[in-house]
Amino acid sequence: MNTKTIAAKKCRRALSLFAIVFIAAQSHAQKPADPQLDKMPVALETDYALSALPPQLRPGATIYLLDPAKGYFVARKGSNGFICFVMRTAWEWAEFRNDVVTAISYDAEGARVIFPVYQDEAAMRASGKFTALQARNIIIDKIKKGIYKAPERPGISYMLGPVMRTYPATPDQHKVLTMQMPHYMFYAPYLTNADIGNIPDGKADGPMLVNPEAMFLGKTKAPYGYIIVPAGEKEATKIIADNKVLLKRLADYKPFMNTEKGMHH
């Protein structure tokens, strides 16, 4: 093999390697980075988290705040067993967004067995070592292995905040909405809408059952189902009126939290 042939082969190999590296670099450059979560102002995050609870439970509740670089931490230790926090990632949707913001509370049982899933999801996102899909798959695997368990007794999650920004449908739909729907959620592991007589499936004009992880675990195998009961019209109207200042602060913080135009994308 002469010198020119060897040189030509080396050149082709070099060009091929360059092409592979260039294409890989272009592919990496074209992939949009996951949006980074910002730290909510402490006073705003605290007040919004507490708004999930009825007023009589707020003084004794434990408040968790989110450090986007680490995860959730206890900002105030409570005494009544209830916790509250602001959810910034809905793990079932396998999507890291920066416009999901919803105040949630749990009683002692929910704090024990449901909140750890949110904690782990937040920690995985903060680490930067996992994609949203990997995080969801890890959670689903831990549910299947019994590491994450269903509530062992009936209980309640209050979601009485005056506004929420989250997914209104199942994890195969990625539309996010700003909504005003204060409601109560009662633990209903492994149940379906048929079990509570909500037929056709998921009819939303009364109590309804929601368990998005059923899409991945099977309809009767989802441990974190909830029977959702919307607050009554008078109660919802009062909640929104009483939180007028908080709503203004949230809208000033993020325009997508503005409720002036009603439900919006």
Side-chain angles (χ1 to χ4, degrees):
M1 189 178 291
N2 61 38
T3 305
K4 286 185 178 180
T5 303
I6 294 170
K9 285 190 173 183
K10 284 183 178 178
C11 184
R12 280 198 297 272
R13 281 199 299 268
L15 285 171
S16 296
L17 180 61
F18 174 78
I20 291 167
V21 172
F22 179 78
I23 290 168
Q26 286 295 99
S27 298
H28 180 73
Q30 289 168 5
K31 179 185 179 298
D34 288 322
Q36 297 298 304
L37 288 178
D38 61 297
K39 179 75 182 85
M40 285 185 75
V42 170
L44 178 60
E45 187 176 6
T46 299
D47 291 347
Y48 184 41
L50 285 168
S51 76
L53 287 160
Q56 73 272 14
L57 294 177
R58 294 173 192 169
T62 293
I63 301 168
Y64 283 90
L65 299 182
L66 180 67
D67 178 350
K70 294 180 181 178
Y72 286 104
F73 64 94
V74 175
R76 187 189 78 186
K77 180 67 176 172
S79 58
N80 64 10
F82 284 85
I83 67 165
C84 59
F85 64 101
V86 177
M87 182 267 285
R88 305 288 298 274
T89 305
W91 65 267
E92 296 96 335
W93 275 261
E95 186 173 46
F96 288 154
R97 302 177 62 124
N98 58 7
D99 64 340
V100 170
V101 188
T102 299
I104 304 178
S105 75
Y106 285 108
D107 65 6
E109 182 66 2
R112 184 180 73 86
V113 298
I114 305 176
F115 181 56
V117 180
Y118 289 99
Q119 289 179 297
D120 290 352
E121 167 80 7
M124 284 189 281
R125 180 173 184 176
S127 75
K129 297 177 181 177
F130 304 90
T131 65
L133 181 58
Q134 286 172 331
R136 183 177 75 187
N137 289 343
I138 287 169
I139 291 170
I140 292 295
D141 185 58
K142 287 185 175 182
I143 290 173
K144 289 178 177 177
K145 290 178 177 175
I147 296 170
Y148 295 139
K149 302 181 185 302
E152 293 181 358
R153 63 160 175 80
I156 188 167
S157 166
Y158 291 103
M159 290 187 67
L160 298 176
V163 64
M164 57 183 180
R165 173 81 174 178
T166 190
Y167 303 90
T170 52
D172 58 341
Q173 300 173 53
H174 287 260
K175 181 187 291 185
V176 172
L177 295 179
T178 301
M179 299 169 280
Q180 291 185 290
M181 195 191 88
H183 58 278
Y184 303 86
M185 304 203 305
F186 301 94
Y187 310 147
Y190 313 121
L191 293 187
T192 68
N193 271 295
D195 291 325
I196 66 169
N198 190 359
I199 301 167
D201 195 31
K203 188 171 64 173
D205 60 352
M208 68 191 107
L209 196 132
V210 171
N211 50 356
E213 75 274 12
M215 282 190 65
F216 318 107
L217 292 161
K219 199 163 189 178
T220 61
K221 296 181 180 179
Y224 304 130
Y226 302 94
I227 295 175
I228 294 181
V229 180
E233 186 177 346
K234 287 183 179 179
E235 182 186 14
T237 300
K238 185 177 188 306
I239 286 169
I240 291 166
D242 289 349
N243 284 281
K244 194 172 183 180
V245 173
L246 177 59
L247 285 168
K248 170 86 166 51
R249 291 164 63 199
L250 287 166
D252 289 344
Y253 165 63
K254 293 292 181 185
F256 58 66
M257 296 295 282
N258 193 328
T259 60
E260 290 299 314
K261 295 178 182 179
M263 189 181 294
H264 61 278
H265 299 182

